[in-house]
Amino acid sequence: MSQKTYSLATIVKLNNGLTMPGIHLGVYLTSGNETYKAVQWALESGYRGFDSAQMYHNERDTGNAITDFLKSPKNTSKLSREDIHYTSKLASNSDYETARKSIKKSVRECGLGYIDLFLLHSPYGGKRARLESWRAVEDAVEAGEVKIGGVSNYGVKHLKELLESKPRLLPAVNQIEVHPFNTRTEITSFCQQNGIMVESYAPLARALRMKHPVIVDLSRKYQCTPAQLMVTWNCQHGFVPLPKSTKKERIAENADISRITIEESDMKTLDGLDEYLVTDWDPVDAP
């Protein structure tokens, strides 16, 4: 467990030698102008990573917000496309050709020229569909449409299945729900032992436990918000959190954690809050 401090400038290295931001903005359950504004505000605040998906129906909104920002006077840092990390995900696993076409469509939808990280959104569909879809991701990487391939909501058995299939490319990321109330220790440990970066979606537990006495007490101790505490907990575990908000002030605030370092004893206290709180779906045991 690392004890350094984290911020929007934090960069993490992946198992393929490439890097990505240590904190991303999630745009799940946002659409249209709401997505567009959130991404623009996040870019102004210093976010450089954005997590979309085919299932979110906001790939175009996210991509447009990024493209417009890069061309605007607000881009005071003179950022280019290469400075931004954009993620999307395959809606459903199927045969190779269907998956391959779907990835190409996502590249067109976002309008960014390529996708930095493309994930299989879940393990649903069975072994053959998972492996065929992964082969489509590998070919998309070889074709330059995607830079990095990964998975999402994969349990240990799905990760083992993929690794044992001797893929041309190892998954660089597994994006799963992780927060102090759902620590996913078995999965996160397996990922870290095998060089797979854990991305945490719903790192704030969708605000369902912000008033939990331990969260309130430790937030007071570290003079931070409950959201900042939970984002820091994720970062100190070596995960990449994807906090989501559509409010300008909250977007900036959630990632303003550079002054916070949670003591090891308090990290253990937070770890002990695990209650397997699933705030959305839970495909990690899919056959």
Side-chain angles (χ1 to χ4, degrees), residues 49-109:
F50 299 90
D51 182 76
S52 183
Q54 294 174 354
M55 286 176 67
Y56 302 171
H57 303 292
N58 57 21
E59 291 174 298
R60 183 170 296 178
D61 301 314
T62 304
N64 285 345
I66 292 169
T67 299
D68 290 351
F69 178 86
L70 292 177
K71 294 187 292 188
S72 78
K74 293 178 181 177
N75 182 12
T76 55
S77 299
K78 307 297 183 192
L79 300 172
S80 65
R81 165 67 184 93
E82 290 69 32
D83 298 312
I84 308 301
H85 186 97
Y86 171 76
T87 299
S88 194
K89 312 178 193 78
L90 186 71
S92 58
N93 301 320
S94 56
D95 62 275
Y96 169 85
E97 289 297 338
T98 302
R100 194 73 186 84
K101 289 175 184 174
S102 191
I103 296 170
K104 288 178 181 289
K105 184 180 179 184
S106 276
V107 175
R108 291 195 301 272
E109 280 289 309

Side-chain angles (χ1 to χ4, degrees), residues 14 16 20 24 50-55 59 81 85-93 98-110 114-122 133-141 145-152 162 169-175 199:
L14 303 174
N16 57 7
M20 70 178 183
H24 299 209
F50 299 90
D51 182 76
S52 183
Q54 294 174 354
M55 286 176 67
E59 291 174 298
R81 165 67 184 93
H85 186 97
Y86 171 76
T87 299
S88 194
K89 312 178 193 78
L90 186 71
S92 58
N93 301 320
T98 302
R100 194 73 186 84
K101 289 175 184 174
S102 191
I103 296 170
K104 288 178 181 289
K105 184 180 179 184
S106 276
V107 175
R108 291 195 301 272
E109 280 289 309
C110 72
Y114 61 89
I115 293 172
D116 295 274
L117 174 62
F118 195 86
L119 310 176
L120 302 185
H121 206 149
S122 81
S133 296
W134 182 253
R135 188 160 64 87
V137 171
E138 290 177 321
D139 284 353
V141 171
E145 298 158 8
V146 170
K147 299 289 186 186
I148 305 162
V151 295
S152 181
L162 180 51
L169 292 177
L170 295 174
V173 167
N174 185 22
Q175 185 183 122
E199 279 192 332

